[in-house]
Amino acid sequence: MMEELQMTHSQKRYLMDYVKRGDALPLQRFPPCSKQPVPVSYPAACQPCRLPARPLLRPAKACQAGDAYTREKFKPQPTRDLEKEKRRLQNILASGKEEVEDEVQQVFVQKKKEEMAEPDRFEELMNEIQERREFLAEMKALGQGKKYQRIVLTEISQKLHEMEIIDKKRSEEMRNIMTKAFPVGNKSNL
């Protein structure tokens, strides 16, 4: 388009400066041979309104004075008992009723107590040993077996030692129970 207007190099540069700054282009015509731009006056009704070159920014104090920087106060919601909610929904799906019986709740609480009562340490140790063996096998497969072998074998031997102690305690308890149930002192009772 600039080529069509037959503008000089300085006039093109002048307009390109406006474009680079993001300013609106001037409302004036350049005579083809003059170096200075000559303003063209339009009637007031025909002149388009000029937008500012940069958007107007509000000062920080004006932004902070508004509600944009105020936080809502934390209002804790009532917590839900997820287990109770699960039981209620299960009851609705099973029977179509929304009632929860007290007996069902008591049985559920008793089952939880039994589950949490006392996990068998001997079985836990066996599971831990198995996990360590699997880990060592994975590390060997990845080529890192030598790095972890000593550590893992040491942990396994500690677990085995703890299992031996538990086994001895159980054996003692069984002997005590057996001697109380079947006293060996008198052979004449046989």
Side-chain angles (χ1 to χ4, degrees), residues 121-122 124-125 128-129 155-169:
R121 180 64 182 151
F122 196 82
E124 285 180 8
L125 290 169
E128 290 176 9
I129 289 172
E155 290 178 358
I156 289 175
S157 67
Q158 289 172 348
K159 304 293 179 192
L160 287 172
H161 180 69
E162 192 175 341
M163 288 173 72
E164 289 173 0
I165 293 171
I166 292 172
D167 188 44
K168 286 179 183 177
K169 285 181 184 178

Side-chain angles (χ1 to χ4, degrees), residues 44-63:
C46 295
Q47 284 188 352
C49 60
R50 291 185 68 185
L51 295 174
R54 289 187 224 142
L56 297 175
L57 299 176
R58 296 185 298 165
K61 290 181 182 178
C63 293

